[in-house]
Amino acid sequence: MAGAVDLSALKSRAEANARAAAQPAASGDGGAAPTTAAVVDVTEADFQAQVVEKSLQVPVVVDLWATWCGPCKQLSPVLERLAQEAGGAWVLAKVDVDANPRIAQLFQVQSVPMVIAIAGGQPVDAFTGALPEPQIRQWIDQLLNALRDQLPGIRAAEQARGGQAEEPEDPRFTAAEDALERGDYAAAEAAYQQILDAEPNNEQAKAGLAQVKFTARAEQADPSAIERADAAPDDIDAQLAAADAEVAAGKVEAGFDRLVRTVKRTSGDERDRVRRHLVEMFEVFPEGDERVNNARRALASALF
């Protein structure tokens, strides 16, 4: 984003305003941190106050959206909820690009949704499209970690809501993750399975187990399995191996489609085996992945 947007003039005025506003607080009212709305609707008229000036204290995440944009309707509620959870450590500024074309022009918006992080009056990071919530959380965490020492409002907000104290790590998951990191898939699988034996509905453990199983298979995936499977459509083992090879090579839709077609051709225990293999694959991908959603619908159609 460096050099893409010049907010320096607005930033200079905002810094002067911030210094002026800070003087009375320093002289008499105990220095209490001002409260800031977590989510604000921004227009061209109040862009400086709502975005530039606030970004001198905390990051301001600008959500550029439009009423006709389908992905915007998925992304905006997630951003709003995360901003409320943050308790003022960052601010979400929502901008309707159709109603505020000069802001869209300022950020050189070519498609929406577009999300831009502003800190110290300048863009520091951005992404486009409706990312899954886990990726958005990770993006925001990285943003706060990078800016915590530069923007005083982050730490003040975190301290106001109880500091940065995190829940202690679950040693069971730590053991599983350590095993996965060192490539000991058998130990990682056993660790996740042990969690599930005690807590059958633990979604984190389910996802971890699926990831381990697929990673172990993907490392052994043979690209030639695809050709063998195409030549023997009734060979279940060949179809499963080929689907693993396709997904490992990034051909996710092809791997899913292969297993859906195999479900249609099979019955009984064989069908159930293929179905379980495919459902396990779904667990590897983030919630909301459109490829998974499409494959789930195709699988339901094949089964019923």
Side-chain angles (χ1 to χ4, degrees), residues 70-238:
C72 297
K73 296 174 184 177
Q74 300 174 13
L75 177 64
S76 291
V78 175
L79 290 172
E80 291 172 13
R81 178 161 43 79
L82 296 182
Q84 296 289 357
E85 289 178 6
W90 59 279
V91 171
L92 176 64
K94 297 170 57 61
V95 177
D96 181 343
V97 295
D98 291 333
N100 301 277
R102 289 200 298 171
I103 296 179
Q105 183 179 10
L106 176 69
F107 289 115
Q108 302 175 13
V109 176
Q110 296 183 359
S111 65
V112 290
M114 181 175 185
V115 176
I116 301 175
I118 308 293
Q122 290 292 331
V124 294
D125 204 354
F127 67 83
T128 58
L131 298 182
E133 182 174 330
Q135 288 182 240
I136 299 173
R137 284 185 179 275
Q138 182 180 27
W139 183 78
I140 291 171
D141 287 344
Q142 291 172 345
L143 188 70
L144 295 178
N145 290 337
L147 297 170
R148 189 170 284 109
D149 292 335
Q150 286 75 44
L151 300 180
I154 298 176
R155 203 176 297 277
E158 290 172 337
Q159 290 173 348
R161 71 173 197 274
Q164 301 179 52
E166 298 180 356
E167 294 183 8
E169 291 187 3
D170 188 326
R172 301 173 302 170
F173 283 99
T174 302
E177 290 158 7
D178 287 347
L180 180 59
E181 192 169 322
R182 65 177 182 266
D184 189 345
Y185 301 128
E189 183 174 341
Y192 282 124
Q193 188 60 58
Q194 186 175 15
I195 297 171
L196 287 171
D197 289 342
E199 303 172 29
N201 295 320
N202 191 307
E203 295 299 327
Q204 184 181 351
K206 288 181 183 178
L209 182 59
Q211 181 70 54
V212 170
K213 288 183 175 180
F214 179 76
T215 302
R217 296 198 309 267
E219 284 200 357
Q220 304 298 322
D222 181 0
S224 65
I226 299 172
E227 184 177 348
R228 292 197 301 272
D230 290 342
D234 295 328
D235 186 333
I236 301 302
D237 290 333

Side-chain angles (χ1 to χ4, degrees), residues 210-211 214 217 239-248 252 255-256 259 274-286 292 296:
Q211 181 70 54
F214 179 76
R217 296 198 309 267
Q239 299 306 317
L240 299 182
D244 287 343
E246 286 170 327
V247 173
V252 177
F256 287 170
L259 295 186
V274 178
R275 179 195 62 79
R276 284 188 283 105
H277 193 98
L278 179 55
V279 171
E280 272 192 7
M281 273 189 172
F282 292 160
E283 296 290 339
V284 177
F285 294 84
V292 173
R296 284 190 188 280

Side-chain angles (χ1 to χ4, degrees), residues 24-90:
S27 61
D29 66 358
T35 58
T36 301
V39 181
V40 293
D41 289 307
V42 175
T43 65
E44 293 169 356
D46 60 8
F47 180 83
Q48 177 180 332
Q50 296 281 32
V51 175
V52 180
E53 292 181 13
K54 286 181 179 178
S55 77
L56 301 178
Q57 296 295 319
V58 296
V60 177
V61 174
V62 181
D63 176 18
L64 297 144
W65 64 279
T67 55
W68 45 263
C69 168
C72 297
K73 296 174 184 177
Q74 300 174 13
L75 177 64
S76 291
V78 175
L79 290 172
E80 291 172 13
R81 178 161 43 79
L82 296 182
Q84 296 289 357
E85 289 178 6
W90 59 279

